[in-house]
Amino acid sequence: MGKFEPPKPLPKTSFLRTEMKRWKTKEIIPKFRFLQDKTKSFQIMFHNIQSLPKHINLIRNDKCFTNSDIIILGET
């Protein structure tokens, strides 16, 4: 096997770099706000997620998930 070489850093003017910075500072307002509303009597959430250990904090901090009574995750 060859030696792993990490990718070069993104240029400072990269649109991807700008979006990654914005993503960390702005709250995403979901279109389906009702999923965050706990007035429903019973809510089941299913999500297909890749690399659960890497993304577990996204789930722990998401109101849609934390307000659900049952969470079903499928890892691909």
Side-chain angles (χ1 to χ4, degrees), residues 33-40 42-45 59 62-71:
R33 174 123 5 230
F34 68 90
L35 291 173
Q36 296 180 355
D37 186 6
K38 196 54 182 165
T39 61
K40 306 287 184 236
F42 193 76
Q43 181 170 300
I44 298 173
M45 177 69 105
I59 292 172
D62 188 304
K63 290 180 184 178
C64 295
F65 284 100
T66 58
N67 284 336
S68 296
D69 297 296
I70 295 176
I71 301 171

mmCIF file of all heavy atoms in Angstrom, residues 33-40 42-45 59 62-71:
data_model
loop_
_atom_site.group_PDB
_atom_site.id
_atom_site.type_symbol
_atom_site.label_atom_id
_atom_site.label_comp_id
_atom_site.label_asym_id
_atom_site.label_seq_id
_atom_site.Cartn_x
_atom_site.Cartn_y
_atom_site.Cartn_z
ATOM 1 N N ARG A 33 -40.556 22.514 10.160
ATOM 2 C CA ARG A 33 -40.437 22.907 11.566
ATOM 3 C C ARG A 33 -41.315 22.035 12.471
ATOM 4 O O ARG A 33 -41.004 21.834 13.640
ATOM 5 C CB ARG A 33 -40.787 24.377 11.725
ATOM 6 C CG ARG A 33 -40.832 24.797 13.144
ATOM 7 C CD ARG A 33 -40.019 25.892 13.697
ATOM 8 N NE ARG A 33 -39.186 26.734 12.953
ATOM 9 C CZ ARG A 33 -37.929 26.949 13.313
ATOM 10 N NH1 ARG A 33 -37.423 26.318 14.340
ATOM 11 N NH2 ARG A 33 -37.181 27.776 12.653
ATOM 12 N N PHE A 34 -42.407 21.512 11.932
ATOM 13 C CA PHE A 34 -43.305 20.700 12.749
ATOM 14 C C PHE A 34 -42.601 19.492 13.355
ATOM 15 O O PHE A 34 -43.032 18.958 14.368
ATOM 16 C CB PHE A 34 -44.529 20.247 11.943
ATOM 17 C CG PHE A 34 -44.215 19.260 10.856
ATOM 18 C CD1 PHE A 34 -44.237 17.898 11.105
ATOM 19 C CD2 PHE A 34 -43.877 19.700 9.580
ATOM 20 C CE1 PHE A 34 -43.943 16.987 10.100
ATOM 21 C CE2 PHE A 34 -43.588 18.795 8.567
ATOM 22 C CZ PHE A 34 -43.619 17.434 8.834
ATOM 23 N N LEU A 35 -41.483 19.057 12.751
ATOM 24 C CA LEU A 35 -40.742 17.927 13.310
ATOM 25 C C LEU A 35 -40.077 18.289 14.634
ATOM 26 O O LEU A 35 -39.700 17.418 15.406
ATOM 27 C CB LEU A 35 -39.685 17.432 12.320
ATOM 28 C CG LEU A 35 -40.215 16.760 11.063
ATOM 29 C CD1 LEU A 35 -39.075 16.466 10.104
ATOM 30 C CD2 LEU A 35 -40.981 15.498 11.400
ATOM 31 N N GLN A 36 -39.913 19.587 14.880
ATOM 32 C CA GLN A 36 -39.291 20.034 16.124
ATOM 33 C C GLN A 36 -40.330 20.334 17.198
ATOM 34 O O GLN A 36 -39.998 20.629 18.320
ATOM 35 C CB GLN A 36 -38.455 21.287 15.871
ATOM 36 C CG GLN A 36 -37.301 21.046 14.946
ATOM 37 C CD GLN A 36 -36.479 22.293 14.707
ATOM 38 O OE1 GLN A 36 -36.818 23.371 15.160
ATOM 39 N NE2 GLN A 36 -35.390 22.146 14.000
ATOM 40 N N ASP A 37 -41.574 20.267 16.843
ATOM 41 C CA ASP A 37 -42.663 20.606 17.753
ATOM 42 C C ASP A 37 -43.058 19.379 18.572
ATOM 43 O O ASP A 37 -43.420 18.348 18.026
ATOM 44 C CB ASP A 37 -43.844 21.112 16.934
ATOM 45 C CG ASP A 37 -44.964 21.628 17.799
ATOM 46 O OD1 ASP A 37 -44.784 21.709 19.033
ATOM 47 O OD2 ASP A 37 -46.018 21.955 17.244
ATOM 48 N N LYS A 38 -43.012 19.501 19.868
ATOM 49 C CA LYS A 38 -43.302 18.362 20.738
ATOM 50 C C LYS A 38 -44.794 18.228 21.045
ATOM 51 O O LYS A 38 -45.198 17.439 21.865
ATOM 52 C CB LYS A 38 -42.489 18.486 22.037
ATOM 53 C CG LYS A 38 -42.383 17.233 22.851
ATOM 54 C CD LYS A 38 -41.851 16.054 22.052
ATOM 55 C CE LYS A 38 -41.797 14.819 22.893
ATOM 56 N NZ LYS A 38 -41.637 13.602 22.149
ATOM 57 N N THR A 39 -45.660 18.973 20.359
ATOM 58 C CA THR A 39 -47.095 18.858 20.626
ATOM 59 C C THR A 39 -47.682 17.586 20.031
ATOM 60 O O THR A 39 -48.776 17.188 20.392
ATOM 61 C CB THR A 39 -47.854 20.077 20.060
ATOM 62 O OG1 THR A 39 -47.664 20.134 18.646
ATOM 63 C CG2 THR A 39 -47.382 21.352 20.715
ATOM 64 N N LYS A 40 -46.975 16.958 19.113
ATOM 65 C CA LYS A 40 -47.453 15.703 18.539
ATOM 66 C C LYS A 40 -47.416 14.632 19.627
ATOM 67 O O LYS A 40 -46.565 14.631 20.502
ATOM 68 C CB LYS A 40 -46.577 15.272 17.350
ATOM 69 C CG LYS A 40 -46.434 16.318 16.275
ATOM 70 C CD LYS A 40 -47.704 16.440 15.488
ATOM 71 C CE LYS A 40 -47.546 17.415 14.360
ATOM 72 N NZ LYS A 40 -48.466 18.490 14.339
ATOM 73 N N PHE A 42 -46.898 11.327 19.225
ATOM 74 C CA PHE A 42 -45.893 10.283 19.039
ATOM 75 C C PHE A 42 -45.154 10.541 17.723
ATOM 76 O O PHE A 42 -45.785 10.736 16.694
ATOM 77 C CB PHE A 42 -46.572 8.912 18.992
ATOM 78 C CG PHE A 42 -45.617 7.770 19.114
ATOM 79 C CD1 PHE A 42 -45.063 7.442 20.335
ATOM 80 C CD2 PHE A 42 -45.255 7.033 18.007
ATOM 81 C CE1 PHE A 42 -44.172 6.379 20.458
ATOM 82 C CE2 PHE A 42 -44.366 5.973 18.111
ATOM 83 C CZ PHE A 42 -43.828 5.652 19.348
ATOM 84 N N GLN A 43 -43.843 10.564 17.767
ATOM 85 C CA GLN A 43 -43.062 10.860 16.560
ATOM 86 C C GLN A 43 -41.940 9.851 16.394
ATOM 87 O O GLN A 43 -41.176 9.601 17.317
ATOM 88 C CB GLN A 43 -42.480 12.274 16.650
ATOM 89 C CG GLN A 43 -41.681 12.671 15.432
ATOM 90 C CD GLN A 43 -41.326 14.141 15.455
ATOM 91 O OE1 GLN A 43 -42.201 14.984 15.483
ATOM 92 N NE2 GLN A 43 -40.049 14.445 15.461
ATOM 93 N N ILE A 44 -41.842 9.279 15.188
ATOM 94 C CA ILE A 44 -40.771 8.351 14.846
ATOM 95 C C ILE A 44 -39.907 9.015 13.778
ATOM 96 O O ILE A 44 -40.421 9.542 12.800
ATOM 97 C CB ILE A 44 -41.328 7.023 14.292
ATOM 98 C CG1 ILE A 44 -42.183 6.328 15.361
ATOM 99 C CG2 ILE A 44 -40.183 6.106 13.846
ATOM 100 C CD1 ILE A 44 -42.909 5.114 14.860
ATOM 101 N N MET A 45 -38.608 8.995 13.966
ATOM 102 C CA MET A 45 -37.673 9.612 13.020
ATOM 103 C C MET A 45 -36.782 8.525 12.440
ATOM 104 O O MET A 45 -36.182 7.754 13.183
ATOM 105 C CB MET A 45 -36.829 10.656 13.742
ATOM 106 C CG MET A 45 -35.778 11.297 12.892
ATOM 107 S SD MET A 45 -36.483 12.345 11.635
ATOM 108 C CE MET A 45 -36.135 13.920 12.318
ATOM 109 N N ILE A 59 -26.590 14.495 15.354
ATOM 110 C CA ILE A 59 -27.871 13.920 15.769
ATOM 111 C C ILE A 59 -28.215 14.352 17.187
ATOM 112 O O ILE A 59 -29.340 14.739 17.478
ATOM 113 C CB ILE A 59 -27.833 12.385 15.648
ATOM 114 C CG1 ILE A 59 -27.752 12.001 14.167
ATOM 115 C CG2 ILE A 59 -29.024 11.732 16.331
ATOM 116 C CD1 ILE A 59 -27.515 10.552 13.899
ATOM 117 N N ASP A 62 -29.648 17.937 17.199
ATOM 118 C CA ASP A 62 -30.727 18.266 16.260
ATOM 119 C C ASP A 62 -32.077 18.134 16.959
ATOM 120 O O ASP A 62 -32.420 17.085 17.488
ATOM 121 C CB ASP A 62 -30.658 17.315 15.059
ATOM 122 C CG ASP A 62 -31.616 17.700 13.966
ATOM 123 O OD1 ASP A 62 -32.825 17.805 14.247
ATOM 124 O OD2 ASP A 62 -31.165 17.877 12.829
ATOM 125 N N LYS A 63 -32.859 19.213 16.971
ATOM 126 C CA LYS A 63 -34.139 19.212 17.672
ATOM 127 C C LYS A 63 -35.121 18.212 17.084
ATOM 128 O O LYS A 63 -35.981 17.698 17.785
ATOM 129 C CB LYS A 63 -34.739 20.612 17.666
ATOM 130 C CG LYS A 63 -33.991 21.571 18.538
ATOM 131 C CD LYS A 63 -34.624 22.939 18.507
ATOM 132 C CE LYS A 63 -33.795 23.911 19.330
ATOM 133 N NZ LYS A 63 -34.346 25.254 19.282
ATOM 134 N N CYS A 64 -35.039 17.956 15.800
ATOM 135 C CA CYS A 64 -35.933 16.972 15.184
ATOM 136 C C CYS A 64 -35.704 15.593 15.795
ATOM 137 O O CYS A 64 -36.652 14.858 16.067
ATOM 138 C CB CYS A 64 -35.716 16.911 13.675
ATOM 139 S SG CYS A 64 -36.153 18.421 12.813
ATOM 140 N N PHE A 65 -34.437 15.256 16.019
ATOM 141 C CA PHE A 65 -34.118 13.959 16.611
ATOM 142 C C PHE A 65 -34.431 13.943 18.108
ATOM 143 O O PHE A 65 -35.027 13.001 18.616
ATOM 144 C CB PHE A 65 -32.646 13.600 16.395
ATOM 145 C CG PHE A 65 -32.336 13.138 15.007
ATOM 146 C CD1 PHE A 65 -31.764 13.995 14.095
ATOM 147 C CD2 PHE A 65 -32.620 11.847 14.606
ATOM 148 C CE1 PHE A 65 -31.478 13.576 12.807
ATOM 149 C CE2 PHE A 65 -32.350 11.405 13.323
ATOM 150 C CZ PHE A 65 -31.769 12.282 12.422
ATOM 151 N N THR A 66 -34.029 14.989 18.811
ATOM 152 C CA THR A 66 -34.199 14.982 20.264
ATOM 153 C C THR A 66 -35.664 15.061 20.682
ATOM 154 O O THR A 66 -36.009 14.654 21.784
ATOM 155 C CB THR A 66 -33.393 16.114 20.926
ATOM 156 O OG1 THR A 66 -33.802 17.367 20.379
ATOM 157 C CG2 THR A 66 -31.904 15.914 20.721
ATOM 158 N N ASN A 67 -36.537 15.575 19.815
ATOM 159 C CA ASN A 67 -37.963 15.622 20.127
ATOM 160 C C ASN A 67 -38.703 14.369 19.695
ATOM 161 O O ASN A 67 -39.893 14.236 19.959
ATOM 162 C CB ASN A 67 -38.618 16.850 19.484
ATOM 163 C CG ASN A 67 -38.275 18.111 20.235
ATOM 164 O OD1 ASN A 67 -37.960 18.080 21.407
ATOM 165 N ND2 ASN A 67 -38.327 19.236 19.550
ATOM 166 N N SER A 68 -38.022 13.461 19.022
ATOM 167 C CA SER A 68 -38.661 12.224 18.563
ATOM 168 C C SER A 68 -38.736 11.205 19.690
ATOM 169 O O SER A 68 -37.850 11.138 20.544
ATOM 170 C CB SER A 68 -37.881 11.634 17.395
ATOM 171 O OG SER A 68 -37.918 12.508 16.300
ATOM 172 N N ASP A 69 -39.787 10.427 19.666
ATOM 173 C CA ASP A 69 -39.942 9.373 20.673
ATOM 174 C C ASP A 69 -39.100 8.146 20.313
ATOM 175 O O ASP A 69 -38.580 7.478 21.190
ATOM 176 C CB ASP A 69 -41.415 8.976 20.776
ATOM 177 C CG ASP A 69 -42.246 10.152 21.259
ATOM 178 O OD1 ASP A 69 -42.028 10.594 22.387
ATOM 179 O OD2 ASP A 69 -43.092 10.622 20.467
ATOM 180 N N ILE A 70 -39.005 7.861 19.026
ATOM 181 C CA ILE A 70 -38.205 6.738 18.548
ATOM 182 C C ILE A 70 -37.327 7.232 17.411
ATOM 183 O O ILE A 70 -37.791 7.941 16.515
ATOM 184 C CB ILE A 70 -39.094 5.583 18.044
ATOM 185 C CG1 ILE A 70 -39.903 4.999 19.193
ATOM 186 C CG2 ILE A 70 -38.251 4.499 17.364
ATOM 187 C CD1 ILE A 70 -40.877 3.915 18.780
ATOM 188 N N ILE A 71 -36.055 6.866 17.447
ATOM 189 C CA ILE A 71 -35.110 7.225 16.385
ATOM 190 C C ILE A 71 -34.597 5.933 15.761
ATOM 191 O O ILE A 71 -34.087 5.060 16.473
ATOM 192 C CB ILE A 71 -33.925 8.053 16.927
ATOM 193 C CG1 ILE A 71 -34.432 9.339 17.587
ATOM 194 C CG2 ILE A 71 -32.930 8.350 15.809
ATOM 195 C CD1 ILE A 71 -33.363 10.091 18.336
#
